[in-house]
């Protein structure tokens, strides 16, 4: 049971801190690809202008969408009540040296700059506008550079702020660059005033963090929603039974037809067509395409004819032609991958003439030679409709449809095997069998393998329907844990006339799904490209609430009247709640905390809202970076160490040094003194003499301190006979922050509660680390987290805090997957929000896990749980 829980924690952790892509939220702006009235705008101060005194700052994070036709437009317009406009404009004209330009009134200021394409299109760039009314100066800060400009006149201290399209009278502008925006902050006199993260997934309003001001949005495209809903990028038809290839470096999708090559860029709106200069490519049954990243060319493969032809994009010709007409194929829907290490294409499986294949083949491009690869080890199930993907140390093969004998007439079925293939040493072994959830599902052709997180992604679908759907799934490389992600993609499945594939675009941080359907009557293939922003949200969050049924006219009148009364009641309640702060009393160490509502005076409330603490870490693709610099993270599975530049350096520490660092941190924080030399010797060098142990201790502490210099003033030292870390507060340590908040404070504000949730959001406490001495620390932390969170939700009102309760319950499930109280609270909160089907699904998922762990059915019904 402990092992199962650990595996589940490992997988859930990955879903939450998936390192494919940085934190993905914000607002995307509909731009020149849409009609003027369908372009996006965000306005702050629409109903009542924002006012300030002396100094104003406006900051935000910006990025542009790649591969768009037109980038001209206004990023923002700040318009004062006396009619002064301050604009940031992107001027795309090629004859302009600098494209970002700051405008005041009707004049270009000297403030202009560029951002490198890699940064602009594939990363977030922080920007900040500063206004000093007393000195009559404007400044703009971007990429570490400050640009200053003296103003020619005074202006009003009240303003409206608009990003994107502007409809304010006398300042209308519908030119919007294809941009993304997040984390808008407004400060006054060097103090924060408003903050809009833009982390919504629906709606046309965004409330600032203090819930004091609302940003109005027209035609929003929420990035978080793009993490749960596949976006159809383009759909078109081309001649013949087409196939597809993908260049992940250039993020380009190629469609090979008989007359032309169609080319689409991930994130782009257009699909280019290249007609072949030498006539038709005579595509044969079962042929597939693949991209050669070495020669940067598209390949088309026929296993039956032992021909691989390459496309020359300059001459628009193929270097070989197939024999046509062909006599069918034995290799429909085989799996393949390109090996750069030996410049070869490896192929496996396929179907044709009532036979399923388990053959493994190799085509060596330099010598144009074919050979068969005999595999030892576990049996490869003869199949087609499997998924295959290449990892760092092997190739993985998921499922498929076939039969043990290879004969279609003899018990054909879906395979639940998940195999690892070593093509170099010709060995196959079964990693595990998929859970029953996959018993009726086959796979799209390719898997996306993420070795660093021990997970792979694939598209699955039922193969017993024509009108079916593709579902993205993430599954562990080492255990059977899995998670369905995002919503589904419509897919017409007609055996050998249909094809689906999955890719990952690392720059755009997007999954790319491609579907093909060949109509033999018209000899045309319909091709469709879908994209999903990473990291994707679990499918449960992707489900939209069902529309309520139509009611009779008088019922609607009654409901409207009730809604009005409810709105008045809510408004009064919110005003009352603003005069209170949520606080939590926590007993010493692992005592039982309880929620206590403490009415505060206005001055006390204001004071509590300005807490001083280290900022939280921000997740990035290859680890964690912190806004303040160095950090050490113990929540999230394994130890992670980040230097002053925000770069993860954990791999520089040997296993021994990592364990020693953990001991010094945990003993220093937990016991507030450190660890003795005798205890260190007992743990690490008990088999050595006293002098040898002393020497080993000195050498390894010196090595550890040498590495810790990259974190600043932070080292292991001996104090009062104990080895400890000093100074502790120069580096952000999530365990230290959590322990201090929970153990030393009597009261918690709602802000601090959310900070605790952010720390836990990465997952369990060192659950991937197995040291005997660590068990007490881990169990103590689990009890502390569960007790603290359990008492939070026990004292929160579900009518006003449903979303917060759901968030807390999700964190509880990281540490205890069958926590009955959390399940009940989450179901009640989902019902409060109107998500009836999700509440029932939450209950059913709990029952399934309960039955698996205890071998018996959960005794309470859904209704009984909620009574």
């Amino acid at each position: 049971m402990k092992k199962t829980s650990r595996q589940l924690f490992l997988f859930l952790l990955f879903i939450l801190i998936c390192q494919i892509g940085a934190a993905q939220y914000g607002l995307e702006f509909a731009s020149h690809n849409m009609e003027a009235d369908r372009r996006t705008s965000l306005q702050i101060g629409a109903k009542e202008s924002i006012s300030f005194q002396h100094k104003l700052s406006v900051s935000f994070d910006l990025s542009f969408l790649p591969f768009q036709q037109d980038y001209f437009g206004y990023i923002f317009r700040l318009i004062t009540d006396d009619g002064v406009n301050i604009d940031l404009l992107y001027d795309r004209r090629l004859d302009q040296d600098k494209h970002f330009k700051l405008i005041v009134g009707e004049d270009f200021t000297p403030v202009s700059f560029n951002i490198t394409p890699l940064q602009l299109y594939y990363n977030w760039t922080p920007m900040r506008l500063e206004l000093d009314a007393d000195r009559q100066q404007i400044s703009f800060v971007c990429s570490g550079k400050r640009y200053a400009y003296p103003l020619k006149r005074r202006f009003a201290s009240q303003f409206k702020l608009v990003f994107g399209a502007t409809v304010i009278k006398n300042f209308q502008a519908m030119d919007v660059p294809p941009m993304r925006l997040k984390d808008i902050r407004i400060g006054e006199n060097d103090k924060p005033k408003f903050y809009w993260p833009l982390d919504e997934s629906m709606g046309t309003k965004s409330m600032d963090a203090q819930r004091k001001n609302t940003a109005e949005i027209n035609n929003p495209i929420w990035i978080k929603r793009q993490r749960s809903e596949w976006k159809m990028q383009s759909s078109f038809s081309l001649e013949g039974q087409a196939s597809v290839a993908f260049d992940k470096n250039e993020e380009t999708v190629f469609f090979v037809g008989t007359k032309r090559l169609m080319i689409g860029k991930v994130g782009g709106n257009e699909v280019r067509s290249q007609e072949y200069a030498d006539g038709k490519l005579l595509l044969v049954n079962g042929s597939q395409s693949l991209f050669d990243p070495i020669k940067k060319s598209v390949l088309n493969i026929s296993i039956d004819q032992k021909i691989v032809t390459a496309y020359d994009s300059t001459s628009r010709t193929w270097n070989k032609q197939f024999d046509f007409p062909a006599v069918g194929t034995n290799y429909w829907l085989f799996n393949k991958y390109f090996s750069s290490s030996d410049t070869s294409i490896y192929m496996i499986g396929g179907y044709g003439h009532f036979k399923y294949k388990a053959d493994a083949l190799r085509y060596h491009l330099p010598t144009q030679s074919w050979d068969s690869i005999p595999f030892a080890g576990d049996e490869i199930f003869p199949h087609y409709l499997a998924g295959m993907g290449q990892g760092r140390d092997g190739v993985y093969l998921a499922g498929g449809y076939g039969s043990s004998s290879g004969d279609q007439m003899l018990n054909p079925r879906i395979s639940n095997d998940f195999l690892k293939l070593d093509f170099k040493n010709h060995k196959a072994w079964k990693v595990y069998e998929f859970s029953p959830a996959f018993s009726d599902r086959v796979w799209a052709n390719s898997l996306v393998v993420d070795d660093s997180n021990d997970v792979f992604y694939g598209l699955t679908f039922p193969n017993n329907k024509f009108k079916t759907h593709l579902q993205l799934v993430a599954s562990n490389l080492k255990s059977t844990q899995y998670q369905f992600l995002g919503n589904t993609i419509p897919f017409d499945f007609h055996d050998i006339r249909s094809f689906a594939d999955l890719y990952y675009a690392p720059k755009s941080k997007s999954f790319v799904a491609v579907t093909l359907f060949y109509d033999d009557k018209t000899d045309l293939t319909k091709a469709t490209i879908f994209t999903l922003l990473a990291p994707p949200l679990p499918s449960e969050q992707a489900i939209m609430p069902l529309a309520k049924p139509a009611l009779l006219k008088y019922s609607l009148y009654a409901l409207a009247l009730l809604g009005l009364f409810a709105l008045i009641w809510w408004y009064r309640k919110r005003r009352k709640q603003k005069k209170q702060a949520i606080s939590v009393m926590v007993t010493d160490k692992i005592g039982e905390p309880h929620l206590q509502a403490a009415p505060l005076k206005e001055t006390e409330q204001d004071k509590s809202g300005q807490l001083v603490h280290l900022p939280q870490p921000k997740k990035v693709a290859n680890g964690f970076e912190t806004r303040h610099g160095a950090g050490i993270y113990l929540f999230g599975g394994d130890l992670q160490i980040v230097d002053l530049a925000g770069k993860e350096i954990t791999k520089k520490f040997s296993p021994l040094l990592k364990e020693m660092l953990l001991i010094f941190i945990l003993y220093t924080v937990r016991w507030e003194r450190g660890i003795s030399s005798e205890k260190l010797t007992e743990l690490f060098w008990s088999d050595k003499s006293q002098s040898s142990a002393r020497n080993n201790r000195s050498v390894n502490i010196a090595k550890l301190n040498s590495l810790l210099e990259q974190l600043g003033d932070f080292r292991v030292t001996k104090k009062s006979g104990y080895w400890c870390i000093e100074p502790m507060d120069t580096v952000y340590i999530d365990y230290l922050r959590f322990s201090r908040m929970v153990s030393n404070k009597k009261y918690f504000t709602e802000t601090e509660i959310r900070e605790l949730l952010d720390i836990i959001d990465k997952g369990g406490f060192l659950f991937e680390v197995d040291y005997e001495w660590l068990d007490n620390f881990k169990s103590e932390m689990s009890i502390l987290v569960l007790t603290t969170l359990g008492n939070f939700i026990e004292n929160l009102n579900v009518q006003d805090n449903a979303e917060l309760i759901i968030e807390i319950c999700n964190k509880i499930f990281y540490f205890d997957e069958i926590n009955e109280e959390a399940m009940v609270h989450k179901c009640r909160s989902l019902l409060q929000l109107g998500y009836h089907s999700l509440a029932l699904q939450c209950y059913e998922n709990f029952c399934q896990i309960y039955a698996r762990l205890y071998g018996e059915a959960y005794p309470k019904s859904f209704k009984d749980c909620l009574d």
Side-chain angles (χ1 to χ4, degrees):
M1 180 174 167
K2 182 178 179 181
K3 182 178 180 181
T4 303
S5 298
R6 183 175 298 157
Q7 290 171 341
L8 183 58
F9 289 158
L10 173 64
F11 180 73
L12 289 176
L13 168 71
F14 165 72
I15 294 300
L16 292 167
I17 63 167
C18 170
Q19 75 172 30
I20 297 183
Q24 294 289 351
Y25 61 89
L27 180 67
E28 183 176 308
F29 283 67
S31 179
H32 297 281
N33 59 323
M34 304 296 291
E35 296 85 354
D37 59 349
R38 296 176 62 188
R39 295 175 187 175
T40 305
S41 69
L42 181 150
Q43 183 170 341
I44 296 171
K47 295 180 179 178
E48 183 178 349
S49 296
I50 306 294
S51 61
F52 75 99
Q53 292 181 349
H54 306 301
K55 292 182 180 180
L56 170 74
S57 68
V58 176
S59 65
F60 54 90
D61 289 357
L62 178 78
S63 70
F64 275 11
L65 277 68
F67 310 121
Q68 304 298 304
Q69 287 188 332
D70 195 347
Y71 288 91
F72 175 78
Y74 291 88
I75 288 120
F76 72 75
R77 305 197 78 181
L78 188 150
I79 303 168
T80 63
D81 283 4
D82 59 350
V84 176
N85 59 285
I86 301 173
D87 310 327
L88 181 63
L89 178 77
Y90 187 82
D91 185 353
R92 63 177 296 274
R93 290 176 294 178
L94 297 178
D95 61 344
Q96 298 296 304
D97 183 36
K98 304 290 177 64
H99 297 299
F100 284 94
K101 297 177 179 179
L102 194 69
I103 297 170
V104 177
E106 298 182 356
D107 299 323
F108 285 104
T109 72
V111 179
S112 61
F113 55 91
N114 283 331
I115 300 174
T116 63
L118 183 62
Q119 174 67 27
L120 181 60
Y121 297 128
Y122 300 112
N123 293 283
W124 292 101
T125 300
M127 297 183 174
R128 186 170 72 252
L129 173 74
E130 297 176 354
L131 290 178
D132 189 326
D134 298 334
R135 298 174 59 190
Q136 288 189 252
Q137 180 172 290
I138 186 171
S139 300
F140 198 85
V141 181
C142 178
S143 301
K145 296 182 179 178
R146 177 183 292 272
Y147 308 87
Y149 173 68
L151 293 169
K152 298 178 180 178
R153 53 162 289 188
R154 291 191 175 275
F155 49 84
S157 58
Q158 297 82 31
F159 65 91
K160 300 181 185 299
L161 178 62
V162 183
F163 290 86
T166 308
V167 294
I168 296 176
K169 187 177 180 180
N170 298 325
F171 294 95
Q172 293 93 337
M174 304 311 294
D175 289 310
V176 183
M179 63 182 182
R180 288 172 175 161
L181 188 71
K182 70 179 182 72
D183 293 335
I184 302 174
R185 290 178 169 86
I186 293 179
E188 183 178 18
N189 299 323
D190 301 323
K191 293 182 179 180
K193 188 171 184 179
F194 300 114
Y195 170 43
W196 294 268
L198 302 182
D199 59 354
E200 289 83 2
S201 57
M202 63 181 66
T204 58
K205 298 181 185 296
S206 177
M207 185 72 73
D208 87 293
Q210 303 297 324
R211 306 191 70 83
K212 295 179 179 178
N213 202 298
T214 301
E216 306 281 348
I217 303 112
N218 291 326
N219 306 314
I221 304 173
W222 294 110
I223 291 178
K224 188 176 284 188
R225 190 163 183 171
Q226 294 181 58
R227 293 171 52 202
S228 63
E229 295 184 4
W230 288 90
K231 174 185 177 182
M232 189 179 75
Q233 179 176 302
S234 55
S235 184
F236 55 90
S237 295
L238 69 163
E239 300 82 4
Q241 189 156 8
S243 54
V244 60
F246 181 67
D247 176 7
K248 71 175 183 179
N249 294 321
E250 296 299 324
E251 300 192 344
T252 304
V253 189
F254 301 93
F255 296 88
V256 177
T258 54
K259 294 182 179 180
R260 71 192 73 240
L261 189 75
M262 304 292 287
I263 306 169
K265 290 277 192 178
V266 176
N269 298 318
E270 300 295 325
V271 177
R272 295 186 293 114
S273 173
Q274 285 189 4
E275 290 196 21
Y276 308 142
D278 55 351
K280 288 186 177 181
L281 174 66
L282 303 177
L283 293 174
V284 295
N285 290 340
S287 69
Q288 290 191 39
S289 293
L290 192 66
F291 188 78
D292 178 351
I294 297 176
K295 292 191 175 180
K296 302 189 183 304
S297 62
V298 178
L299 309 175
N300 192 262
I301 308 161
S302 170
I303 298 180
D304 300 276
Q305 298 188 15
K306 298 294 187 288
I307 293 175
V308 176
T309 181
Y311 182 70
D312 186 327
S313 58
T314 304
S315 63
R316 298 191 177 187
T317 60
W318 295 89
N319 65 353
K320 292 182 181 179
Q321 186 61 273
F322 297 110
D323 297 330
F324 194 87
V327 292
T329 178
N330 292 296
Y331 295 96
W332 285 110
L333 300 170
F334 63 90
N335 297 102
K336 77 282 183 188
Y337 82 96
F338 186 95
S339 172
S340 298
S341 61
D342 61 355
T343 323
S344 297
I345 302 171
Y346 289 92
M347 297 148 280
I348 194 168
Y351 165 78
H353 300 118
F354 306 102
K355 294 289 185 181
Y356 304 105
K357 302 293 186 297
D359 303 342
L361 303 169
R362 173 179 179 260
Y363 175 75
H364 187 234
L365 272 75
T367 61
Q368 301 184 25
S369 60
W370 291 78
D371 58 285
S372 180
I373 301 175
F375 269 86
D378 291 331
E379 180 183 2
I380 299 175
F381 184 74
H383 67 277
Y384 77 144
L385 294 174
M388 190 168 79
Q390 183 180 13
R392 280 198 300 260
D393 57 349
V395 175
Y396 295 91
L397 185 69
Y401 187 88
S403 70
S404 298
S405 64
D407 193 321
Q408 184 180 357
M409 309 299 176
L410 299 177
N411 191 27
R413 64 188 187 278
I414 287 177
S415 169
N416 285 323
D417 293 346
F418 182 59
L419 301 177
K420 187 174 183 179
L421 309 177
D422 184 345
F423 278 90
K424 182 178 180 180
N425 298 308
H426 302 178
K427 184 179 179 182
W429 59 93
K430 184 190 293 187
V431 182
Y432 58 77
E433 291 188 4
F434 290 109
S435 78
F438 296 89
S439 60
D440 63 344
R441 308 182 76 86
V442 291
W443 297 78
N445 202 256
S446 300
L447 305 176
V448 174
V449 179
D450 180 13
D451 297 276
S452 60
N453 289 289
D454 285 335
V455 78
F456 74 88
Y457 295 88
L459 288 171
T460 68
F461 62 96
N463 67 329
N464 57 357
K465 300 177 182 178
F466 172 64
K467 289 292 184 182
T468 184
H469 59 270
L470 299 168
Q471 173 69 65
L472 181 66
V473 62
S475 186
N476 202 296
L477 287 173
K478 298 176 180 178
S479 68
T480 59
Q481 307 304 326
Y482 67 92
Q483 173 72 62
F484 291 121
L485 304 169
N487 66 347
T488 58
I489 300 172
F491 183 48
D492 290 345
F493 177 69
H494 193 288
D495 200 28
I496 57 178
R497 298 217 303 262
S498 303
F499 185 85
D501 218 337
L502 176 70
Y503 313 110
Y504 182 71
K507 294 178 182 177
S508 300
K509 302 177 180 66
S510 297
F511 287 96
V512 182
V514 173
T515 63
L516 303 174
F517 183 80
Y518 174 64
D519 186 341
D520 56 354
K521 296 179 181 179
T522 60
D523 193 33
L524 292 174
T525 295
K526 181 181 178 181
T528 310
I529 305 173
F530 299 88
T531 58
L532 179 70
L533 206 59
L537 294 175
S539 57
E540 178 179 311
Q541 298 185 36
I543 299 174
M544 301 294 294
L546 295 175
K548 296 178 180 175
L551 299 175
L552 294 174
K553 178 173 67 174
Y554 296 107
S555 298
L556 288 174
Y557 290 157
L559 284 176
L561 188 60
L562 286 173
L564 179 61
F565 283 117
L567 185 62
I568 295 171
W569 172 85
W570 175 84
Y571 176 74
R572 290 178 175 175
K573 186 174 182 64
R574 292 299 300 175
R575 290 191 62 184
K576 183 178 180 181
Q577 285 181 335
K578 286 182 179 180
K579 297 181 180 180
Q580 296 179 339
I582 297 174
S583 59
V584 177
M585 179 177 290
V586 183
T587 60
D588 190 39
K589 301 300 176 186
I590 314 180
E592 294 187 0
H594 61 275
L595 198 72
Q596 175 178 314
L600 302 176
K601 299 177 182 179
E602 291 296 329
T603 54
E604 292 173 331
Q605 180 179 345
D606 293 341
K607 184 177 180 181
S608 69
Q610 298 178 10
L611 301 172
V612 179
H613 57 79
L614 290 173
Q616 286 297 296
K618 180 173 65 174
K619 301 169 189 174
V620 294
N622 295 314
F624 292 84
E625 68 177 1
T626 58
R627 291 170 182 164
H628 58 280
I632 297 176
Y633 306 95
L634 280 61
F635 285 87
D638 199 354
L639 173 69
Q640 290 180 315
I641 308 163
V642 176
D643 66 12
L644 286 167
K647 180 180 179 183
E648 186 179 356
I649 59 172
T650 314
K651 292 181 179 180
K652 294 183 179 181
F653 291 72
S654 68
L656 174 61
L657 294 184
K658 286 172 64 177
E659 185 177 358
M660 290 179 67
L661 178 59
L662 272 179
I663 283 180
F664 293 132
I665 291 174
L666 292 173
Y667 273 74
T668 303
V669 174
R670 181 65 182 87
W671 307 114
E672 299 181 352
R673 63 182 183 186
I675 185 170
S676 66
S677 298
E678 293 75 18
K679 186 65 175 178
L680 280 175
T681 299
E682 176 188 333
L683 290 173
F684 293 106
W685 304 289
S686 58
D687 59 335
K688 299 185 181 300
S689 66
Q690 186 174 356
S691 60
S692 178
R694 186 187 307 112
N695 182 61
N696 273 275
R697 183 177 66 241
S698 300
V699 169
N700 283 289
I701 289 178
K703 290 180 180 179
L704 183 58
N705 279 332
S706 177
L707 288 170
L708 292 177
E709 289 179 358
Q710 300 176 66
L711 280 68
D713 185 16
F714 185 80
R715 58 186 287 106
V716 179
T717 185
K718 196 171 187 180
K719 185 177 180 181
S720 302
Y722 289 88
W723 294 97
C724 60
I725 296 286
E726 278 197 335
M728 290 293 288
D729 292 326
T730 59
V731 171
Y732 178 89
I733 304 174
D734 55 0
Y735 171 63
L736 172 64
R737 177 62 181 162
F738 187 92
S739 298
R740 285 180 173 175
M741 290 178 69
V742 173
S743 301
N744 296 338
K745 286 181 65 68
K746 290 186 177 181
Y747 299 99
F748 276 69
T749 65
E750 185 173 0
T751 302
E752 289 176 309
I753 292 174
R754 292 196 174 276
E755 183 181 351
L756 288 174
L757 294 179
D758 287 341
I759 294 174
I760 300 168
D761 187 59
K762 293 187 293 175
F765 179 77
L766 292 173
F767 66 82
E768 290 183 39
V769 182
D770 287 314
Y771 304 129
E772 186 175 345
W773 61 266
L774 185 59
D775 289 343
N776 288 335
F777 287 96
K778 289 160 69 170
S779 61
E780 176 181 295
M781 182 55 65
S782 294
I783 294 171
L784 189 59
V785 169
L786 291 172
T787 308
T788 304
L789 297 186
N791 282 275
F792 284 170
I793 57 175
E794 286 292 343
N795 294 276
L796 287 175
N797 185 295
V798 69
Q799 284 81 13
D800 302 316
N801 300 284
E803 293 180 354
L804 178 58
I805 292 173
I806 292 172
E807 185 178 355
I808 294 173
C809 291
N810 289 336
K811 303 299 185 295
I812 290 176
F813 288 141
Y814 299 167
F815 294 84
D816 182 5
E817 59 183 329
I818 52 169
N819 189 292
E820 183 177 1
E821 290 77 13
M823 180 272 289
V824 172
H825 283 293
K826 183 174 181 180
C827 288
R828 287 173 176 167
S829 299
L830 288 169
L831 291 173
Q832 176 66 30
L833 295 173
Y835 300 133
H836 299 276
S837 61
L838 291 185
L840 181 59
Q841 183 178 343
C842 174
Y843 167 78
E844 291 174 346
N845 291 343
F846 177 87
C847 291
Q848 291 176 9
I849 298 173
Y850 184 96
R852 188 182 74 238
L853 293 180
Y854 291 115
E856 61 183 38
Y858 180 61
K860 294 183 180 180
S861 68
F862 182 60
K863 184 177 182 298
D864 291 339
C865 289
L866 302 178
D867 288 343

